[in-house]
Amino acid sequence: MTLLQVTTLADSAAVNAQENSVNLFDLLLKGGYVMIPLLLLSAAAIAIFVERVLTIKKSSKTPTGLLDQVKSLVSDGKIDEAKMLCSQNETPIAKMLEKGVSRIGSPLKNIEVSIENVGKVEIYRLEKNLSLLATISGAAPMIGFLGTVTGMIQAFIAIAQEEGSVSPKLLSEGIYEAMITTAVGLSVGIIAYLGYNYLVTQVQKVIHKMEYTSVEFIDLLQESK
């Protein structure tokens, strides 16, 4: 009999917990209209991060030994073959080498400037939308705090309109909005900030490779001269 009572109480507690539980979707809905821009910012941050990771990864895949092959062909006077070898690759380093090879015969300063100009264009492409990701990392928490303010305003309005004692249930809607928007805004901001710093680090690695290749190629031309 005692065992049956314990089992009954456990089942009742489980049913009550299930009835009182709130799933994630319903919880987000309680955040109010401020959740709309936060969700849009989170989707934009994810899209930018994935697209940039794929682009940077592709740009960093310079064929092994490309610089050595170009050096060998240029030293042998096979300029057209060196240019064709570079044109077969779409990486920033290959494009810089292709521009440098195509300018062979011009003053060394002009070749260096041409390579730098191509490098600047490629760096701009690598850093595309990174500033937008940084903006999201700062804007999302601010929007979340805005939701906190609007939620608390709703709570105080409910208090002002209620005569007599104020029940917690009456205030729950405004407090839900205040807390949920703050949590979501901070979460989106932190994720976007971490993603931004990761992408900046990866871009810097590619830029370092580009600078090294540029210096090596200019040194080759100086030796040949």
Side-chain angles (χ1 to χ4, degrees):
M1 186 68 178
T2 304
L3 180 61
L4 181 60
Q5 290 177 348
V6 172
T7 304
T8 304
L9 290 174
D11 293 340
S12 299
V15 171
N16 290 333
Q18 186 175 3
E19 290 177 352
N20 293 329
S21 63
V22 181
N23 60 45
L24 180 60
F25 181 74
D26 292 336
L27 193 63
L28 293 177
L29 288 179
K30 292 180 181 296
Y33 292 107
V34 179
M35 291 297 298
I36 296 176
L38 288 176
L39 293 177
L40 291 176
L41 288 178
S42 65
I46 294 172
I48 292 172
F49 180 79
V50 173
E51 188 271 335
R52 285 294 89 193
V53 166
L54 296 177
T55 300
I56 295 171
K57 185 177 181 180
K58 181 180 178 181
S59 299
S60 62
K61 286 185 176 180
T62 303
T64 304
L66 176 62
L67 180 59
D68 293 334
Q69 294 178 28
V70 172
K71 283 183 177 181
S72 178
L73 292 173
V74 171
S75 299
D76 295 339
K78 300 178 181 179
I79 306 301
D80 292 335
E81 294 182 14
K83 190 187 303 183
M84 184 178 298
L85 177 64
C86 295
S87 64
Q88 293 174 354
N89 299 279
E90 294 296 326
T91 61
I93 291 177
K95 292 179 180 180
M96 291 171 61
L97 289 174
E98 182 181 5
K99 177 61 70 173
V101 170
S102 65
R103 291 290 187 270
I104 290 179
S106 303
L108 194 61
K109 184 64 177 177
N110 293 345
I111 297 176
E112 187 174 357
V113 171
S114 298
I115 294 175
E116 289 179 356
N117 290 336
V118 173
K120 290 178 181 178
V121 173
E122 294 302 318
I123 291 173
Y124 173 78
R125 291 177 179 174
L126 289 173
E127 294 178 342
K128 182 181 178 181
N129 291 331
L130 288 187
S131 59
L132 181 57
L133 190 60
T135 302
I136 292 175
S137 69
M142 299 302 293
I143 295 176
F145 292 144
L146 176 62
T148 302
V149 174
T150 57
M152 296 308 297
I153 289 174
Q154 290 184 14
F156 283 116
I157 291 175
I159 293 174
Q161 292 178 346
E162 183 69 13
E163 296 181 359
S165 61
V166 180
S167 64
K169 186 176 181 180
L170 182 65
L171 304 177
S172 62
E173 184 176 351
I175 295 176
Y176 262 127
E177 179 175 340
M179 296 298 100
I180 292 172
T181 54
T182 300
V184 174
L186 288 173
S187 299
V188 174
I190 291 171
I191 293 173
Y193 180 74
L194 294 176
Y196 169 78
N197 281 280
Y198 172 79
L199 293 175
V200 168
T201 302
Q202 298 304 310
V203 169
Q204 290 300 321
K205 291 180 180 179
V206 178
I207 293 175
H208 176 72
K209 291 180 181 179
M210 294 167 61
E211 292 175 346
Y212 173 80
T213 303
S214 176
V215 171
E216 288 290 311
F217 184 75
I218 295 299
D219 288 343
L220 169 65
L221 297 182
Q222 288 178 338
E223 292 174 2
S224 300
K225 183 176 180 181

